[in-house]
């Protein structure tokens, strides 16, 4: 859905040395070679199961799986096992929009307000946003309204229903069409547009105009009626049992379920092979290099090259063979997947997994597709992965010192120093480790092993960016490359003493979301529900936003491609003596206002009339005691250890008795007026 890699994946995304994918065996068929690689995919990512399929000229030529559908029963995955497909869903809503364009119901270059009359924002530039800009990520919208979008066994459409209202008070980060940067909200607006124009729900539209003619019997939304037992089980490291079904209720940006075979059938319209559903002209338009319409890196080869819906309209790993491959990845908290199509040969491949990440499923799909292309005679041989010479440091021109200074990326600022021709940068994109880059000539700084290159790029918008070009080994599954802007240069923003003092008091404080439904998947870990304030006192920024007064800081990030996604403003306010933080219309409570859980034997409390959840700390008086909770049917609670990982989430475990960990936290949620009765006793 949202390229949403869960917090437990972070450590796994650091590149390690490549090992040959098929080194230990000599399988003879593509099917056998894919099985070897699938087993490796499971072992290095921790995924419980993976399903994949290849379609060639309208026929399924490979359909297989590895791992299990259910760890407890060890039930196998079959071709009919369904998975959440995350952001691959963007291809469906983009295709649906183009179906309306084929029928002359919309013009993708007309203002969106033509079709959604009540779409309004606080920034007048919103009137220039078009459906095309929603599909190519160039709308200028901040990014993603994540709260209440991903729920366990709950298909509440609140995220969809409240989006237009939330946007009314928000601004844009750039002029519409100025540059593309990954944006989920745009595809949820497409969903609303389709509903307004067609007069039916998006679920109904998809079923009638896409699934039925293509015979996609396994492609559903959370609002569809289907056998939920067909869904692959999902897991979380701190939970022994399978998780409830994850419903992504932002259908346009990431809410569909499907199978690998269904996705390859759907890909037929994306390649222009089913003109009864989507015209060849529209399919071709979706494949166009839309990213070139705005500010972008100069490199032609890149893992990020947006089309209409597509992440990449020319996947780098196929470029060396003269083959154009298009790719779309998807990530939910628990499900992940990738779709690759090769229009020239009418070949598509889909990979879906429970656990892992789309970067790995894409690498897997690339490897298997190359094996298949070789087997079919489309390529003569599989080229070896690129190798690099160790960086050779040379004298750096003094004028490059002018690039040193303050830079911003999403959620943080950094002071980049250039000393003796060297630059130190932190880890990047979860795949590239923190390391030193040395000057090697031609304005470039390289990593010690030569696989990553840093340079500075002043763009037509007057902004200076740090550009990163890197090859990664993806846990030994295979090599991939990316070019992106990692940082944007800033000017200092000196603060008045009174303003500075207020922000100093907030520095390091954590704020916890209070209006997230207790069924949310984000309750698996507190980092998905909190914002820790980090203030750059010397320069006047907080979490990458520019401080403008004592209670407000505004976004300044205008970084194309992907690093500049999901930006935000910080707005602080008080209710009585309690300070709250508001981001994207959602409220967070200051940690200082969170009280310890009552250490007495018995206590009772209720959810307030505004429906906000109640957070509590676990202090030394309650730690290591047993908490028993009598919970209303609509209510639930989560208990976290000192690292923010859930040790019990009642909506998952149905366990209402738990030993409270030292230094942890508890959150209770439900409907307004729900009463919780708590008993604390010694072990």
């Amino acid at each position: 859905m949202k390229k949403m890699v869960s917090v437990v994946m972070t450590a796994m995304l650091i590149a390690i040395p490549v090992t040959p994918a098929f080194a230990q065996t000599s399988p003879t068929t593509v099917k056998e070679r894919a099985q070897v690689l699938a087993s490796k995919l499971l072992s290095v990512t921790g995924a419980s199961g993976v399903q994949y399929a290849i379609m060639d000229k309208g026929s399924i030529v490979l359909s297989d799986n590895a791992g299990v559908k259910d760890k407890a029963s060890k039930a196998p995955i079959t071709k009919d096992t369904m998975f959440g497909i995350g952001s691959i869903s963007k291809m469906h809503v983009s295709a649906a929009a183009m179906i309306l364009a084929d029928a002359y119901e919309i013009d993708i270059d007309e203002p969106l307000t033509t079709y959604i009359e009540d779409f309004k924002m606080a920034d007048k530039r919103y009137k220039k946003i078009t459906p095309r800009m929603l599909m190519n990520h160039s709308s200028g919208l901040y990014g993603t309204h994540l709260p209440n979008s991903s729920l366990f066994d709950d298909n509440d459409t609140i995220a969809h229903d409240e989006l237009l209202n939330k946007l009314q008070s928000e601004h844009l980060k750039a002029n519409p069409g100025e540059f593309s940067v990954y944006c989920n909200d745009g595809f949820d607006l497409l969903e609303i547009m389709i509903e307004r124009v067609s007069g039916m729900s998006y679920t109904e539209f998809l079923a009638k105009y896409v699934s039925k003619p293509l015979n996609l019997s396994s492609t559903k939304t959370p609002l569809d009626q289907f056998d939920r037992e067909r869904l692959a089980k999902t897991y979380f490291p701190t939970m022994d049992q399978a998780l409830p079904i994850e419903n992504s209720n932002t259908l346009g940006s990431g809410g569909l379920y499907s199978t690998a075979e269904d996705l390859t059938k759907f890909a037929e319209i994306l390649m222009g092979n089913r003109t009864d559903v989507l015209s060849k002209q529209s399919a071709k338009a979706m494949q166009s290099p839309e990213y070139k319409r705005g500010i972008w890196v100069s490199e032609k080869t890149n893992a990020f090259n947006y089309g209409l819906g597509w992440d990449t309209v020319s996947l780098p790993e196929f470029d060396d063979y003269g083959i154009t491959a298009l790719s779309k990845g998807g990530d939910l908290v628990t499900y992940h997947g990738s779709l690759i199509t090769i229009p020239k040969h009418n070949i598509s491949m889909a990979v879906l997994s429970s656990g892992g990440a789309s970067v790995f499923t894409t690498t897997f799909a690339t490897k298997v597709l190359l094996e298949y292309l070789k087997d079919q005679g489309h390529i003569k041989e599989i080229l070896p992965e690129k190798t690099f010479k160790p960086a050779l440091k040379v004298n750096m021109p003094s004028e490059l010192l002018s690039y040193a200074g303050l830079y911003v990326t999403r959620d943080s600022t950094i002071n980049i120093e250039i000393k003796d021709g060297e630059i130190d940068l932190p880890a990047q994109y979860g795949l590239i480790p923190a390391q030193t880059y040395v000057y090697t000539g031609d304005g470039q700084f390289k990593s010690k092993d030569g696989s990553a290159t840093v340079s500075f790029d002043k763009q037509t918008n007057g902004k200076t960016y740090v550009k990163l070009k890197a090859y990664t080994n993806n846990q030994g599954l295979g090599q991939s490359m990316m070019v992106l802007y990692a940082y944007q240069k800033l000017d200092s923003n000196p603060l008045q003493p009174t303003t500075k003092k207020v922000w100093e008091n907030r520095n390091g404080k954590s704020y916890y979301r209070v209006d997230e439904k207790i069924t949310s998947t984000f309750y698996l870990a507190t980092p998905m529900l909190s914002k820790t304030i980090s203030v750059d006192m010397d320069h006047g920024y907080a979490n990458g936003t520019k401080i403008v007064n004592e209670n407000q800081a505004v976004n300044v990030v205008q970084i194309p491609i992907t690093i500049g996604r999901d930006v935000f403003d910080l707005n602080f306010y008080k209710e009585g003596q309690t300070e709250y933080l508001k981001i994207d219309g959602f409220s967070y409570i200051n940690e200082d206002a969170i009280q310890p859980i009552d250490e007495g034997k018995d206590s009772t409390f209720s959810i307030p009339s505004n429906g906000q959840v109640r957070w509590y700390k676990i202090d030394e008086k309650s730690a290591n005691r047993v908490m028993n909770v009598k919970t209303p049917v609509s209510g639930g609670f989560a208990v976290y250890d000192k690292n923010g990982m859930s040790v019990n989430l009642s909506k998952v475990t149905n366990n209402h008795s738990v030993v409270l960990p030292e230094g942890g936290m508890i959150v209770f949620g439900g409907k307004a007026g729900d009463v919780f009765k708590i008993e604390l006793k010694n072990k």
Side-chain angles (χ1 to χ4, degrees):
M1 171 175 88
K2 320 195 175 323
K3 293 287 180 185
M4 187 200 307
V5 182
S6 69
V7 291
V8 295
M9 286 300 303
T10 303
M12 298 175 62
L13 291 175
I14 301 300
I16 61 174
V18 168
T19 55
F22 307 122
Q24 297 178 351
T25 61
S26 299
T28 58
T29 67
V30 173
K31 181 182 176 71
E32 291 170 340
R33 293 192 288 263
Q35 266 294 316
V36 173
L37 190 56
S39 296
K40 181 160 188 155
L41 174 70
L42 297 182
S43 67
V44 301
T45 67
S48 56
V50 60
Q51 178 194 71
Y52 49 95
I54 296 177
M55 179 174 278
D56 188 345
K57 296 181 180 63
S59 299
I60 299 292
V61 295
L62 175 65
S63 183
D64 211 346
N65 60 79
V68 294
K69 174 185 174 184
D70 183 343
K71 289 182 178 180
S73 67
K74 300 190 184 304
I77 293 170
T78 71
K79 68 182 182 65
D80 297 316
T81 303
M82 295 167 64
F83 295 74
I85 67 172
S87 281
I88 300 173
S89 305
K90 290 180 173 65
M91 300 310 304
H92 295 72
V93 78
S94 297
M98 299 305 287
I99 288 170
L100 288 178
D102 280 345
Y104 300 102
E105 295 289 332
I106 68 166
D107 181 332
I108 65 171
D109 292 312
E110 282 292 310
L112 183 63
T113 53
T114 305
Y115 312 110
I116 310 177
E117 293 182 0
D118 52 337
F119 169 52
K120 294 179 174 62
M121 297 184 71
D123 189 320
K124 291 182 179 179
R125 295 176 294 177
Y126 81 92
K127 296 177 182 179
K128 297 180 180 179
I129 296 173
T130 66
R132 180 190 297 276
M133 294 173 188
L134 302 181
M135 289 186 277
N136 68 19
H137 301 277
S138 70
S139 65
L141 294 166
Y142 269 24
T144 306
H145 282 77
L146 280 176
N148 296 317
S149 62
S150 181
L151 308 175
F152 283 132
D153 271 342
D154 184 351
N155 59 7
D156 189 345
T157 59
I158 184 172
H160 164 280
D161 300 342
E162 293 188 350
L163 179 59
L164 291 176
N165 184 54
K166 296 289 186 188
L167 289 172
Q168 284 186 10
S169 60
E170 296 180 13
H171 293 78
L172 298 175
K173 62 187 168 194
N175 293 322
E178 184 176 351
F179 59 80
S180 294
V181 57
Y182 202 87
C183 176
N184 287 294
D185 282 350
F187 293 85
D188 294 323
L189 285 173
L190 282 177
E191 175 191 344
I192 294 172
M193 180 194 72
I194 289 163
E195 292 178 329
R196 297 292 178 85
V197 173
S198 69
M200 61 180 70
S201 73
Y202 177 63
T203 295
E204 292 169 334
F205 185 94
L206 198 66
K208 181 176 181 179
Y209 292 103
V210 178
S211 293
K212 184 177 180 180
L214 294 176
N215 193 27
L216 305 182
S217 60
S218 300
T219 299
K220 306 292 182 182
T221 81
L223 300 177
D224 274 314
Q225 297 297 317
F226 67 96
D227 181 7
R228 262 60 177 177
E229 289 302 312
R230 291 184 58 192
L231 288 163
K233 303 291 186 184
T234 60
Y235 301 88
F236 193 74
T238 61
M239 304 283 178
D240 292 330
Q241 69 272 65
L243 300 174
I245 296 166
E246 179 181 358
N247 290 338
S248 175
N249 294 307
T250 46
L251 309 184
S253 63
L256 272 60
Y257 305 109
S258 194
T259 63
E261 288 195 10
D262 255 22
L263 283 176
T264 60
K265 292 178 185 177
F266 169 69
E268 288 293 287
I269 72 171
L270 302 177
M271 293 188 291
N273 296 334
R274 287 294 302 270
T275 55
D276 57 319
V277 179
L278 183 70
S279 69
K280 280 186 177 292
Q281 293 87 345
S282 286
K284 195 69 175 177
M286 293 176 70
Q287 300 169 18
S288 64
E290 289 284 319
Y291 66 95
K292 291 183 178 180
R293 292 174 176 266
I295 297 167
W296 205 260
V297 294
S298 59
E299 283 80 357
K300 294 181 180 179
T301 301
N302 193 0
F304 305 106
N305 285 327
Y306 298 140
L308 297 179
W310 292 106
D311 289 340
T312 312
V313 294
S314 184
L315 200 59
E317 289 72 31
F318 294 85
D319 288 348
D320 289 340
Y321 303 92
I323 294 174
T324 298
L326 300 93
S327 174
K328 183 75 194 83
D331 294 279
L332 300 176
V333 173
T334 59
Y335 289 117
H336 312 273
S338 301
L339 173 66
I340 298 177
T341 66
I342 304 175
K344 178 181 178 180
H345 298 301
N346 289 318
I347 295 172
S348 62
M349 181 171 185
V351 185
L352 299 171
S353 69
S354 50
S358 65
V359 65
F360 302 129
T361 55
T362 300
T363 304
F364 170 82
T366 298
K367 280 278 192 181
V368 175
L369 270 176
L370 288 174
E371 292 284 344
Y372 182 74
L373 290 171
K374 179 185 175 184
D375 187 71
Q376 296 298 302
H378 295 303
I379 61 176
K380 292 182 179 180
E381 59 181 351
I382 297 176
L383 301 173
E385 293 179 346
K386 289 181 170 54
T387 57
F388 309 93
K389 295 180 180 179
L392 179 62
K393 186 177 177 181
V394 301
N395 291 330
M396 184 191 77
S398 59
E399 56 263 28
L400 289 180
L401 292 171
S402 65
Y403 288 111
L406 179 67
Y407 284 79
V408 68
T409 191
R410 184 188 178 278
D411 208 37
S412 66
T413 53
I414 181 175
N415 191 43
I416 294 181
E417 297 181 335
I418 305 175
K419 291 184 177 180
D420 191 29
E422 297 183 358
I423 299 174
D424 290 324
L425 291 180
Q428 302 294 320
Y429 210 68
L431 293 167
I432 303 157
Q435 57 192 320
T436 298
Y437 299 81
V438 301
Y439 187 72
T440 58
D442 297 324
Q444 298 182 339
F445 300 77
K446 291 185 180 292
S447 60
K448 183 179 179 180
D449 66 0
S451 65
T453 302
V454 166
S455 58
F456 297 92
D457 197 353
K458 187 168 184 178
Q459 268 288 0
T460 55
N461 61 352
K463 308 293 184 186
T464 296
Y465 299 102
V466 174
K467 183 167 68 175
L468 175 67
K469 178 180 179 180
Y471 289 81
T472 61
N473 293 319
N474 303 329
Q475 300 287 29
L477 289 168
Q479 190 179 74
S480 61
M481 70 85 63
M482 66 181 78
V483 189
L484 50 81
Y485 288 133
Y487 298 95
Q488 169 191 327
K489 204 169 194 299
L490 289 180
D491 294 325
S492 186
N493 175 43
L495 301 178
Q496 295 295 324
T498 54
T499 301
K500 187 173 183 179
K501 184 175 181 180
V502 171
W503 284 90
E504 282 177 339
N505 291 333
R506 293 185 182 121
N507 191 30
K509 298 288 185 184
S510 292
Y511 293 71
Y512 293 84
R513 196 178 301 159
V514 294
D515 38 21
E516 186 82 1
K517 293 191 68 175
I518 198 62
T519 52
S520 173
T521 62
F522 295 170
Y523 283 107
L524 289 167
T526 59
M528 292 191 273
L529 292 160
S530 63
K531 175 68 69 177
T532 299
I533 302 302
S534 176
V535 185
D536 184 339
M537 299 295 182
D538 294 332
H539 301 103
Y541 293 86
N543 297 81
T545 61
K546 183 178 181 179
I547 297 171
V548 296
N549 57 44
E550 293 179 3
N551 293 311
Q552 185 182 28
V554 299
N555 171 65
V556 291
V557 176
Q558 293 187 353
I559 305 177
I561 307 175
T562 186
I563 297 298
R565 61 177 287 179
D566 299 340
V567 296
F568 49 84
D569 300 331
L570 301 176
N571 294 283
F572 294 87
Y573 66 98
K574 280 191 174 182
E575 291 184 359
Q577 297 301 309
T578 301
E579 184 179 64
Y580 290 87
L581 165 63
K582 184 159 284 190
I583 300 174
D584 295 337
F586 298 91
S587 295
Y588 299 68
I589 189 170
N590 188 319
E591 63 174 272
D592 291 342
I594 299 175
Q595 301 300 311
I597 191 76
D598 189 343
E599 74 273 12
K601 181 180 178 181
D602 299 301
S603 60
T604 301
F605 66 85
S606 62
I607 299 298
S609 59
N610 60 12
Q612 291 183 343
V613 302
R614 298 186 61 160
W615 289 90
Y616 292 93
K617 296 174 182 175
I618 300 171
D619 62 10
E620 64 278 0
K621 295 178 182 178
S622 54
N624 298 309
R625 299 182 72 189
V626 177
M627 181 179 74
N628 296 310
V629 184
K630 187 175 182 180
T631 309
V633 174
S634 57
F637 68 95
V639 179
Y640 303 96
D641 63 20
K642 62 183 178 181
N643 298 316
M645 298 296 284
S646 58
V647 299
N648 186 64
L649 179 51
S650 67
K651 287 294 184 181
V652 171
T653 65
N654 202 31
N655 180 13
H656 297 266
S657 180
V658 59
V659 177
L660 300 181
E662 295 181 12
M665 296 187 73
I666 312 170
V667 62
F668 298 88
K671 293 181 179 179
D674 276 353
V675 176
F676 292 80
K677 295 181 179 180
I678 300 171
E679 176 192 46
L680 275 183
K681 62 181 183 180
N682 296 327
K683 288 192 288 186

